[in-house]
Amino acid sequence: QVQLVESGGGSVQAGGSLRLSCVASGPHYRRTCMGWFRQAPGKERVGVATINDHSVYRNVVDYVDAVKGRFTISQDNAKSTLHLQMNSLKPEDTGMYYCAAGFSIGCDLREADFDSWGQGTQVTVSS
């Protein structure tokens, strides 16, 4: 019912920046919680950032400690596109980045709060 398409990934040197985008379609009530996850080779997928548009917690954002101060999650006014601005990139940020959507009131950095996923976009940061 909800479809997500990521773009903006690529290869960049440490200290550089990338801006990821996710075009979302489908009922808005099914995607009041939006987020970005990433998975490094050989490691589990982890939450990076979330933005909560639920009526109770409107526009509340959350970030994993590793990216605080460097990444910024945002959504356009039409709620059709999600962004992740990534600055001061480090080699540890390398991985496949996934856009995710759900409608949990909590909207935490956990996969259980999301039920729709994009195909992913690769981010590679070299030293």
Side-chain angles (χ1 to χ4, degrees):
Q1 194 171 16
V2 173
Q3 292 190 334
L4 308 169
V5 181
E6 305 97 331
S7 64
S11 181
V12 65
Q13 291 187 339
S17 299
L18 284 174
R19 184 175 177 84
L20 306 183
S21 297
C22 171
V23 177
S25 61
H28 180 256
Y29 80 91
R30 291 292 302 276
R31 47 185 175 89
T32 55
C33 174
M34 300 292 294
W36 289 96
F37 288 72
R38 69 185 181 188
Q39 185 171 30
K43 297 185 178 181
E44 65 180 8
R45 186 160 62 184
V46 298
V48 176
T50 62
I51 183 166
N52 193 352
D53 194 40
H54 192 276
S55 60
V56 178
Y57 301 104
R58 188 174 181 83
N59 297 131
V60 172
V61 299
D62 194 19
Y63 300 93
V64 67
D65 288 344
V67 308
K68 288 182 178 178
R70 299 188 297 119
F71 290 12
T72 302
I73 188 172
S74 62
Q75 193 169 26
D76 66 2
N77 292 331
K79 311 298 182 182
S80 62
T81 306
L82 182 73
H83 300 283
L84 184 67
Q85 179 65 46
M86 306 184 293
N87 298 325
S88 301
L89 284 163
K90 305 175 181 180
E92 307 91 87
D93 296 318
T94 293
M96 185 69 71
Y97 282 68
Y98 299 89
C99 178
F103 51 95
S104 170
I105 295 177
C107 197
D108 296 319
L109 293 165
R110 58 178 185 173
E111 293 194 6
D113 283 354
F114 302 85
D115 58 6
S116 298
W117 298 83
Q119 294 299 306
T121 184
Q122 179 67 38
V123 171
T124 302
V125 184
S126 60
S127 301

